[in-house]
Amino acid sequence: MELTPVTDLPEIRPGDDIAALVADRADLEAGDVLTVASTIVSKAEGRMANLEEYPVSGRAREIADRLEGITGEEKDPRFAQAVLEESMELLIDAPFLLTETRFGHISVNAGIDRSNVPDHDILLLPKKPTESAERIRSGLAARGIEDVAVIVTDTCGRPFRHGQRGVALGWAGIPASRDWRGELDRDGHELGVTVQSVVDELASAANLVTGEGAGGTPAVVVRDWAFGDHAGSDELFRSVEDDLVRQALREWSIDD
Amino acid sequence: MELTPVTDLPEIRPGDDIAALVADRADLEAGDVLTVASTIVSKAEGRMANLEEYPVSGRAREIADRLEGITGEEKDPRFAQAVLEESMELLIDAPFLLTETRFGHISVNAGIDRSNVPDHDILLLPKKPTESAERIRSGLAARGIEDVAVIVTDTCGRPFRHGQRGVALGWAGIPASRDWRGELDRDGHELGVTVQSVVDELASAANLVTGEGAGGTPAVVVRDWAFGDHAGSDELFRSVEDDLVRQALREWSIDD
């Protein structure tokens, strides 16, 4: 398996065609996986915003005041409002905001970025990252580059372990996970590990070569990796019913 | 960045020298990262066990009975005993056991494996995976292969997202994470994302090429990847004080 960053991408602006920009700079082949950082997808989709666009609700003001009291740092209620508008559910409200975005991804501040945004205050995540991935995949196909899987990636933290790692937000041309059920180990026992989140692992692998910041390369080509002969699933984001940690956080927030 | 599985490793037995077995089969160079699945590290360290070795405590019997009641599946109290003995803290006791192992890693059943174990009932995780990684790294150096970082890996699930992904349990010759603090984005703003868990991302990348089961290759060489000029940290496992989810789980279990 080989990972190559796509270099020399320009600063992305609203309306830019990411498929075209990548196709001109990368030597893509059928079977490749292309990862694209959500920052440039968001920029192409015009997901920049300014805080003055967010009239503050009572709830946002309450959240910002509480955060300010706990952290001792100034908190802009307009930012809290932006987080709420991008979210379906608030899982943790202090000392930081952890929410479920409208497309099911759980992250701090609904994944809203305050760096990497020229001429605007904030950058929202793509509205529907799987549709974004499909659009890029179709754009490549329209240029004769068929059979390239596309993953829209982000980085985020997690419980239990320090540090951020790359994750998938949306994907096209590849299932989110592959299923090893029914496979046997060397001794003929059925495997305990059954579902492998390949899109997250590909996003993590890509994040090792993209870098962050000024020298960052927001797109990566993964070659010589194959999904193989497995059943696949597109369920990546857990529902509350299926997630004891979300259940515990709910009770904990209510008790609070 | 290029990932190549190490092929033709034999079935590993207690006392086997993993550094020697890998050195004979992989063309390792200074700067490479070698990932090694914890299963073979455990086997080399003789961490196989049989359930009859675990006299059942009252707590283990209680846990197994409760699990059996909730899941409707037969649960061996000797297995619950083994999980307790490998753990510092039980975070969730039903419908599955989530614990913190003695070396700080949080996983289901303390990472004890019931597949992949010839002639024994269970395979425990390595006792001190970072020491295991250091031993393999020294073993390579003793064979003239200097400057190879070693990561002992496992796969495990996580809250919020379905599926398992590769994670690091121990590491040597590389910090667990790299710090982007102080770096600026293209527009001169300081980056929001600061700490990247590179050992977990390398473990995830490697897991894409190892596979599971009979055809699995438990070691992978990562080439042309560099940690770069960053500050590093070896803190990978969060403490309770630093983990709201662990705090919520504690209260939730107590309320239960």
Side-chain angles (χ1 to χ4, degrees), chain A residues 1-3 9-11 91-92 94-96 98 105-106 115-118 155 158-168 178 180 184-187 189-193 195-198 200-202 204-205 207-209 211-214 216 225 235-238 242-246 248-249 251-252 255, chain B residues 1-3 9-11 91-92 94-96 98 105-106 115-118 155 158-168 178 180 184-187 189-193 195-198 200-202 204-205 207-209 211-214 216 225 235-238 242-246 248-249 251-252 255:
Chain A
M1 182 171 82
E2 197 172 1
L3 288 91
L9 281 168
E11 176 70 35
L91 281 77
I92 294 179
F96 53 81
L98 184 74
H105 169 56
I106 289 174
S115 58
N116 289 311
V117 214
T155 55
R158 59 267 167 94
F160 307 151
R161 304 172 81 87
H162 283 290
Q164 310 234 343
R165 86 299 193 204
V167 293
R178 63 180 174 190
W180 294 85
L184 303 179
D185 66 20
R186 286 181 172 191
D187 309 302
H189 300 119
E190 196 164 331
L191 288 167
V193 176
V195 176
Q196 178 190 12
S197 173
V198 291
D200 275 350
E201 291 187 327
L202 287 161
S204 285
N207 197 44
L208 287 163
V209 301
E212 303 273 347
W225 179 80
E235 268 191 286
L236 183 60
F237 307 120
R238 286 185 190 271
D242 193 37
D243 191 338
L244 286 182
V245 166
R246 288 192 62 174
L249 284 175
E251 287 195 31
W252 184 69
D255 291 351
Chain B
M1 181 171 84
E2 197 171 2
L3 289 91
L9 282 168
E11 176 70 35
L91 281 78
I92 294 179
F96 53 82
L98 185 75
H105 169 57
I106 290 174
S115 58
N116 290 311
V117 214
T155 55
R158 61 266 168 91
F160 308 149
R161 302 172 81 86
H162 283 289
Q164 310 234 343
R165 87 299 194 204
V167 292
R178 65 180 171 188
W180 294 85
L184 303 180
D185 67 19
R186 287 181 172 191
D187 309 303
H189 299 120
E190 197 164 331
L191 287 167
V193 176
V195 177
Q196 178 190 12
S197 174
V198 291
D200 275 350
E201 291 188 326
L202 287 161
S204 285
N207 196 45
L208 287 163
V209 301
E212 304 271 346
W225 179 80
E235 269 190 286
L236 182 61
F237 306 121
R238 287 184 190 271
D242 192 39
D243 191 339
L244 286 181
V245 166
R246 288 192 63 175
L249 284 174
E251 287 193 31
W252 183 69
D255 291 349

Side-chain angles (χ1 to χ4, degrees), chain A residues 2 26-35 137 140 145-151 172-174 202 220-226:
Chain A
E2 197 172 1
D27 169 36
L28 285 161
E29 286 175 9
D32 288 347
V33 179
L34 173 69
T35 70
R137 180 168 147 87
L140 293 172
I145 306 168
E146 304 271 359
D147 268 334
V148 170
V150 176
I151 303 175
I174 184 179
L202 287 161
V220 175
V221 177
V222 184
R223 181 153 300 165
D224 286 333
W225 179 80

Side-chain angles (χ1 to χ4, degrees), chain A residues 10-18 21 40 42-46 48 118-119:
Chain A
E11 176 70 35
I12 303 295
R13 292 171 205 287
D16 277 353
D17 182 339
I18 290 177
L21 292 168
I40 67 167
S42 288
K43 285 175 185 177
E45 294 177 1
M48 298 83 85
D119 309 322

Side-chain angles (χ1 to χ4, degrees), chain A residues 162, chain B residues 130 134 171-178 199 232-237:
Chain A
H162 283 290
Chain B
T130 284
E134 279 162 2
W171 51 93
I174 184 178
S177 59
R178 65 180 171 188
V199 289
S233 159
D234 278 327
E235 269 190 286
L236 182 61
F237 306 121

Side-chain angles (χ1 to χ4, degrees), chain A residues 45-196:
Chain A
E45 294 177 1
R47 297 278 286 159
M48 298 83 85
N50 288 313
L51 290 173
E52 64 191 25
E53 298 165 40
Y54 291 92
V56 174
S57 65
R59 193 171 175 221
R61 187 167 305 279
E62 200 179 290
I63 287 169
D65 284 350
R66 185 149 186 262
L67 270 175
E68 208 167 287
I70 288 174
T71 63
E73 287 163 31
E74 209 177 316
K75 296 290 171 186
D76 193 324
R78 299 171 303 174
F79 184 76
Q81 181 67 35
V83 171
L84 289 177
E85 291 187 17
E86 291 301 308
S87 303
M88 288 198 293
E89 186 179 335
L90 183 61
L91 281 77
I92 294 179
D93 63 356
F96 53 81
L97 303 180
L98 184 74
T99 79
E100 179 182 8
T101 65
R102 296 196 176 276
F103 61 89
H105 169 56
I106 289 174
S107 61
V108 172
N109 293 336
I112 299 175
D113 200 345
R114 276 180 282 197
S115 58
N116 289 311
V117 214
D119 309 322
H120 286 81
D121 297 331
I122 57 176
L123 184 65
L124 312 174
L125 289 181
K127 208 163 221 162
K128 296 183 175 173
T130 284
E131 288 182 13
S132 308
E134 280 162 0
R135 215 152 35 228
I136 296 169
R137 180 168 147 87
S138 311
L140 293 172
R143 278 163 191 81
I145 306 168
E146 304 271 359
D147 268 334
V148 170
V150 176
I151 303 175
V152 173
T153 65
D154 196 9
T155 55
C156 73
R158 59 267 167 94
F160 307 151
R161 304 172 81 87
H162 283 290
Q164 310 234 343
R165 86 299 193 204
V167 293
L169 300 184
W171 51 93
I174 184 179
S177 61
R178 63 180 174 190
D179 198 331
W180 294 85
R181 240 169 302 222
E183 302 245 344
L184 303 179
D185 66 20
R186 286 181 172 191
D187 309 302
H189 300 119
E190 196 164 331
L191 288 167
V193 176
T194 50
V195 176
Q196 178 190 12

